[in-house]
Amino acid sequence: MAVTITYFPVRGRTEAMRLLLADQGQEWKDEDIPFQKWASGDLKKEAVFGQLPKFQDKDFILYQSTAILRYLGRKHGLYGKDDKEAALIDMTSDGVEDLRTKYLTFIYQDYDSGKQKYIDDLPKQLSRFEKLLSQHSNGNGFIAGDKISFADYNLLDSLQNHLVLAPDCLKTFPLLSAYVDRMSSRPKLKAYLDSEKRKNRPLNANGKQ
């Protein structure tokens, strides 16, 4: 199998890649690295920035999750029709990454004492994506245009994570709620989401969700 994702045995920063690959009908191999093995330092020394994930496509190796998503976007025609649309896709995906950083900081550093505050602040964060979605096809399209892009998989992953944390978080965002249903119903993506491979992979390393 040509494509390999090397990461810890969680969804984490690599799940958006899996959503993209699954929806595009591409096979991949997950090389799960136990945390104890990573702590030993040998693999960490090989990583360009001392971090996972590592992505390998035949003899091409890439690190940094956002760089990997952008590579997959280019490879699979998921990067817009021109430079301006590509820039909007980048902008949107970077916005998702800002939200992901807040989420991961909360999950790993402030879960017990900060959960309610995080959930209370969530509508402010989500409203930005609701507004972006409303600007394309009356909210019935994709997050950065009329065609699916790599940013959609990044956003879907983040929204699904938040729906686990706060099941009613999209209740006041009808466009985002319909968007999650629409994306999750895409046949190849749905098959992956329903698979044991997906269900058996923990959301986060510390068991919080």
Side-chain angles (χ1 to χ4, degrees), residues 13-201:
R13 289 189 173 274
T14 52
E15 192 62 13
M17 302 169 202
R18 297 186 186 95
L19 297 178
L20 185 157
L21 290 167
D23 193 44
Q24 296 300 312
Q26 301 297 305
E27 294 186 354
W28 73 93
K29 175 184 176 183
D30 284 305
E31 183 178 355
D32 292 337
I33 303 300
F35 292 100
Q36 298 88 339
K37 185 175 181 180
W38 178 251
S40 71
D42 293 337
L43 287 172
K44 194 170 187 178
K45 291 174 185 175
E46 296 175 12
V48 173
F49 297 103
Q51 297 174 324
L52 294 178
K54 170 186 174 182
F55 179 86
Q56 185 163 356
D57 186 353
K58 298 180 181 177
D59 59 351
F60 179 62
I61 295 175
L62 192 60
Y63 292 89
Q64 297 293 325
S65 56
T66 54
I68 295 166
L69 270 180
R70 286 177 166 86
Y71 168 75
L72 289 172
R74 293 185 184 96
K75 181 175 180 178
H76 294 284
L78 303 167
Y79 221 135
K81 63 180 181 292
D82 54 32
D83 289 345
K84 289 183 179 179
E85 195 164 284
L88 290 174
I89 291 167
D90 281 338
M91 178 191 76
T92 304
S93 191
D94 287 352
V96 175
E97 285 304 309
D98 287 345
L99 178 57
R100 188 184 303 280
T101 298
K102 290 183 176 75
Y103 170 79
L104 291 175
T105 299
F106 152 69
I107 285 290
Y108 287 103
Q109 298 180 20
D110 198 29
Y111 186 89
D112 293 326
S113 61
K115 183 175 181 179
Q116 192 57 53
K117 183 179 183 303
Y118 184 89
I119 292 175
D120 289 344
D121 189 52
L122 198 50
K124 178 183 176 182
Q125 309 298 325
L126 296 176
S127 66
R128 296 160 180 165
F129 297 102
E130 180 88 352
K131 182 177 180 180
L132 281 172
L133 193 57
S134 72
Q135 296 170 2
H136 307 288
S137 301
N138 296 316
N140 296 313
F142 300 101
I143 193 61
D146 297 328
K147 184 181 177 184
I148 197 167
S149 71
F150 74 86
D152 286 289
Y153 303 105
N154 207 14
L155 178 59
L156 177 63
D157 177 47
S158 184
L159 292 176
Q160 288 178 329
N161 291 349
H162 284 91
L163 283 167
V164 173
L165 173 70
D168 293 331
C169 68
L170 298 184
K171 194 172 182 180
T172 57
F173 300 106
L175 297 182
L176 282 177
S177 182
Y179 170 84
V180 170
D181 291 342
R182 191 165 62 250
M183 285 287 293
S184 302
S185 297
R186 291 168 67 87
K188 292 176 184 176
L189 194 47
K190 184 178 187 303
Y192 170 67
L193 292 172
D194 290 342
S195 69
E196 292 304 310
K197 182 177 183 179
R198 154 81 174 198
K199 292 176 181 178
N200 291 336
R201 183 172 292 276

